[in-house]
Amino acid sequence: MRTQAILSLLSSTSYVLNITHNVLNHLGSISPYHRASHHDASEIKSNLPVDCTVDQVMLMHRHGSRGPIGEHRYIEQLVQTLHDATDVIQKVELPHELQFLRAGYNFSQTPHVLTILGRKELFDHGVEFALKYPHLTTDVILSSDSGRVIESARWFALGFFGLDPDVRIVTVNSKHDPVSWITPAPGPACPKFDYSYGKQATSTWSKHYLPVITDRLNMLLPGVGFTEDDIHGALFACAYDLASHGTSPWCGIFRPDELADFEYERDILMDASCAYTLPDNIGPLVGTVFVNKLIERLTDSKGGSRPLYLEFGHDVTILLALSALGLAKDDPPLSPDELRPGRKFRVSELTPFAANMVWEKFTCTSSYDGPQIRLILNDATMPLTICGQGMDPTFGTCSLDTFVNANHYSTSIRFRDKTWNATCGV
């Protein structure tokens, strides 16, 4: 009965984010889920020709919206600053967007854990997936061993299969599989893979934009004494309030250019942590593990491929794969010293919470010869530009043969071969 009540609530509840979609597009990988708007994809048709049938699907799904990881210390510092300035806040004349401070602001989220909206994201995606691919099924789901990822897989399964599904959720971790296409980072399998490069990049960029916002808000609230860490906390509070409640008073205090600066911070963080600006081409190298597994399944090179793969991991999982594919790649690379407004690498679009990367293999009676593939990332087709002239510009697809040949870099790499060991420092 309890499970049925939860199902009823999730299927009937509609929550509206009490902000404009513009804000959602500027919160990086801590954005609530939203349909993507991919670079150079505005003319791509979303529906395949009517004579085509999807025969195989491989899903890689990020966990849903969660509480903060690490960022909560900035939010807690902000709350303490506001508490210490209670008397000042009650006396000063507040602009409209800061009136909420008179009643006080509290932040109470459990770090790492899925929020109720995160659960809903995954349940909804499970339902939508079942409606889109009613002819495909499986009896196993793979997940990283992170608690929030396992829970995400369970909520998706509830939406996809319904109550008491005959499906197993199998976890994968780095101890049993040192370099998996699911786990987010290779650890000892690639010692040079280091997230600290991303932190260095954001530290550099934050010095360009946080002081300006800090000065502006201190002018609006004289006597409070905001620090740059406090302003960081307010930006994170905007994102994580949305992840938990669907609304936040903090989102309304920032100007569009300030949110754009914050978004760029989130982009260069992930780009330098696990994508193109990670030194020595480590991001694309590690991403070859996913690409090779994808090709193995699509070509059935080892036999026994399933029609449907449901797998759950992290934003890093998806970004590593995209970097090996050369998708959403900027030339020149992103820099922590200069905002690139026209960039392709935007994690708000690539890996928001509950991001889902769907690979389809399809065949047609007349539109195409032989098997074709398509990438749908966050409900929008992502053009397979890696196929070059072999990509159909109308649908963003290409033939399986063209795709395999275009990924010669990935197919030339094997775990702990000469190139892997030299790049990773094994």
Side-chain angles (χ1 to χ4, degrees):
M1 291 298 293
R2 180 172 180 270
T3 304
Q4 289 177 322
I6 294 172
L7 274 172
S8 177
L9 175 65
L10 286 172
S11 62
S12 63
T13 300
S14 62
Y15 70 94
V16 179
L17 294 167
N18 191 27
I19 53 168
T20 66
H21 185 70
N22 189 47
V23 172
L24 289 181
N25 286 347
H26 293 285
L27 298 176
S29 59
I30 52 178
S31 299
Y33 183 77
H34 58 282
R35 188 180 189 277
S37 177
H38 298 307
H39 194 274
D40 294 335
S42 59
E43 303 299 320
I44 297 293
K45 290 186 177 181
S46 58
N47 295 321
L48 293 175
V50 294
D51 66 304
C52 300
T53 301
V54 175
D55 306 306
Q56 186 181 30
V57 169
M58 180 173 167
L59 166 71
M60 174 54 68
H61 208 301
R62 186 191 180 194
H63 58 76
S65 294
R66 55 156 172 77
I69 299 177
E71 306 99 332
H72 65 281
R73 68 182 182 90
Y74 293 100
I75 303 174
E76 290 170 355
Q77 179 176 319
L78 168 67
V79 171
Q80 185 62 52
T81 296
L82 294 172
H83 175 76
D84 294 342
T86 299
D87 292 341
V88 174
I89 291 171
Q90 295 304 318
K91 294 175 183 178
V92 73
E93 182 177 349
L94 296 174
H96 173 74
E97 66 270 22
L98 292 172
Q99 290 288 333
F100 72 93
L101 292 176
R102 292 216 196 277
Y105 172 78
N106 292 304
F107 183 85
S108 56
Q109 290 185 32
T110 305
H112 301 267
V113 176
L114 279 189
T115 67
I116 190 169
L117 295 185
R119 300 169 196 159
K120 186 179 187 302
E121 288 166 340
L122 269 294
F123 176 81
D124 287 349
H125 287 182
V127 172
E128 293 161 6
F129 216 74
L131 292 172
K132 187 172 184 180
Y133 305 108
H135 59 299
L136 300 178
T137 192
T138 184
D139 61 357
V140 64
I141 292 175
L142 293 185
S143 168
S144 86
D145 62 350
S146 165
R148 62 184 176 274
V149 179
I150 296 171
E151 185 183 355
S152 293
R154 287 173 175 164
W155 283 109
F156 182 96
L158 195 60
F160 186 86
F161 296 101
L163 296 173
D164 303 318
D166 185 20
V167 62
R168 295 175 296 122
I169 297 179
V170 178
T171 59
V172 178
N173 62 52
S174 57
K175 292 181 180 178
H176 300 131
D177 191 345
V179 56
S180 167
W181 65 98
I182 293 177
T183 51
C190 188
K192 286 187 177 180
F193 188 101
D194 190 348
Y195 286 125
S196 68
Y197 291 109
K199 294 178 181 178
Q200 293 171 21
T202 57
S203 176
T204 299
W205 174 245
S206 65
K207 294 174 184 176
H208 289 282
Y209 84 99
L210 284 179
V212 179
I213 307 177
T214 305
D215 290 344
R216 182 176 71 81
L217 291 182
N218 277 327
M219 288 180 66
L220 290 175
L221 285 173
V224 173
F226 286 121
T227 66
E228 291 171 21
D229 282 350
D230 291 328
I231 301 308
H232 232 166
L235 288 160
F236 289 131
C238 163
Y240 285 110
D241 280 347
L242 291 179
S244 184
H245 311 298
T247 185
S248 175
W250 290 107
C251 296
I253 75 169
F254 297 107
R255 296 172 176 173
D257 61 308
E258 294 168 345
L259 289 170
D261 287 337
F262 178 66
E263 178 190 32
Y264 191 64
E265 176 190 286
R266 300 294 90 194
D267 290 343
I268 60 174
L269 168 68
M270 300 310 295
D271 194 23
S273 294
C274 56
Y276 294 113
T277 55
L278 190 64
D280 301 323
N281 204 49
I282 291 178
L285 176 88
V286 176
T288 63
V289 177
F290 181 95
V291 176
N292 283 325
K293 178 58 66 174
L294 173 67
I295 291 174
E296 172 193 313
R297 290 170 171 176
L298 293 175
T299 59
D300 196 20
S301 62
K302 293 188 177 181
S305 286
R306 297 169 174 264
L308 178 62
Y309 292 91
L310 302 177
E311 298 172 340
F312 294 79
H314 300 260
D315 52 349
V316 175
T317 318
I318 295 174
L319 292 175
L320 286 170
L322 293 177
S323 67
L325 292 160
L327 300 178
K329 184 177 183 179
D330 291 288
D331 186 17
L334 301 186
S335 166
D337 291 306
E338 178 189 10
L339 179 68
R340 301 280 175 78
R343 65 193 177 279
K344 300 176 183 178
F345 192 88
R346 292 179 183 268
V347 290
S348 299
E349 306 299 324
L350 303 174
T351 54
F353 285 132
N356 48 98
M357 181 169 63
V358 181
W359 292 91
E360 296 178 338
K361 183 172 77 171
F362 63 94
T363 52
C364 311
T365 56
S366 59
S367 294
Y368 298 100
D369 293 327
Q372 311 291 310
I373 62 167
R374 177 170 72 157
L375 169 59
I376 302 174
L377 184 60
N378 305 326
D379 291 312
T381 301
M382 189 171 201
L384 291 174
T385 53
I386 189 172
C387 294
Q389 295 297 314
M391 184 191 79
D392 183 335
T394 302
F395 298 98
T397 61
C398 65
S399 72
L400 178 57
D401 287 344
T402 299
F403 180 78
V404 172
N405 291 332
N407 280 286
H408 51 82
Y409 169 72
S410 289
T411 56
S412 70
I413 303 295
R414 287 293 179 266
F415 174 52
R416 285 189 173 167
D417 67 8
K418 184 178 179 180
T419 301
W420 180 285
N421 289 347
T423 304
C424 286
V426 176

